[in-house]
Amino acid sequence: MTIAKNTICLWYDTDAEAAARFYAETFPDSEVTGVHLAPSDYPSGKAGDVLTVDFTVLGIPCLGLNGGTTFKHSEAFSFQVSTEDQEETDRYWNAIVGNGGEESACGWCRDKWGISWQITPRILMEALAAGGDGAKRAFEAMMEMKKIDVAAIERACRV
């Protein structure tokens, strides 16, 4: 068993395994690598329940912990997924939102387990990094969007 030096621990009420399997099906370089059962009863579960799940999301090692309802997710933590084009942006956005998730603003959405995702086309990040008037126009265009519209960002950069 190889243990990563740094692992992101994500707290779920009871569905860490379902979430990990969804991420593995949705994103490349993602997989579930272990499911571990509780050796005895604990505050939010019983012996034999799934306690933790080892998985990767886009190559990032994660641990899903079924810890109960004590803590909730917020946008203070999110996965930012860089996309190459509108097709890839749509695919990830629609997978998350279409699986019980919800849209937010400026390229953010939340999956049905409460984890926030930024589905961010590379063109937007490049425009913002370039600075100047094009960055301002791209930023202002983004502020009006939920899912990022690549063509609208490209138009904003050219004006």
Side-chain angles (χ1 to χ4, degrees):
M1 177 176 177
T2 302
I3 298 175
K5 187 74 167 173
N6 186 15
T7 300
I8 296 171
C9 181
L10 299 168
W11 184 291
Y12 296 87
D13 293 350
T14 59
D15 292 336
E17 185 175 6
R21 293 199 185 285
F22 171 75
Y23 306 148
E25 293 169 3
T26 302
F27 299 102
D29 196 18
S30 302
E31 65 180 333
V32 175
T33 56
V35 176
H36 309 284
L37 306 180
S40 62
D41 292 354
Y42 59 107
S44 60
K46 305 263 185 243
D49 289 352
V50 172
L51 179 62
T52 62
V53 179
D54 300 319
F55 61 100
T56 58
V57 176
L58 295 161
I60 299 170
C62 299
L63 174 77
L65 170 65
N66 284 329
T69 60
T70 303
F71 299 108
K72 297 294 176 202
H73 297 286
S74 79
E75 287 79 4
F77 171 86
S78 63
F79 283 102
Q80 184 178 41
V81 179
S82 177
T83 58
E84 292 301 316
D85 53 29
Q86 192 67 55
E87 180 184 348
E88 188 178 22
T89 300
D90 292 348
R91 183 172 62 248
Y92 295 146
W93 182 275
N94 295 341
I96 292 167
V97 172
N99 187 45
E102 62 183 297
E103 295 181 329
S104 190
C106 304
W108 292 61
C109 57
R110 184 176 301 121
D111 67 30
K112 72 178 185 179
W113 301 281
I115 301 291
S116 291
W117 297 81
Q118 297 176 59
I119 309 300
T120 310
R122 184 177 44 81
I123 187 78
L124 174 60
M125 298 309 293
E126 290 171 349
L128 297 176
D133 290 340
K136 182 177 187 245
R137 289 188 304 272
F139 182 79
E140 289 171 350
M142 175 203 68
M143 293 299 291
E144 300 297 319
M145 298 176 187
K146 290 188 180 202
K147 177 174 60 177
I148 301 300
D149 179 337
V150 171
I153 297 299
E154 289 172 338
R155 281 192 303 275
C157 291
R158 283 193 303 264
V159 172

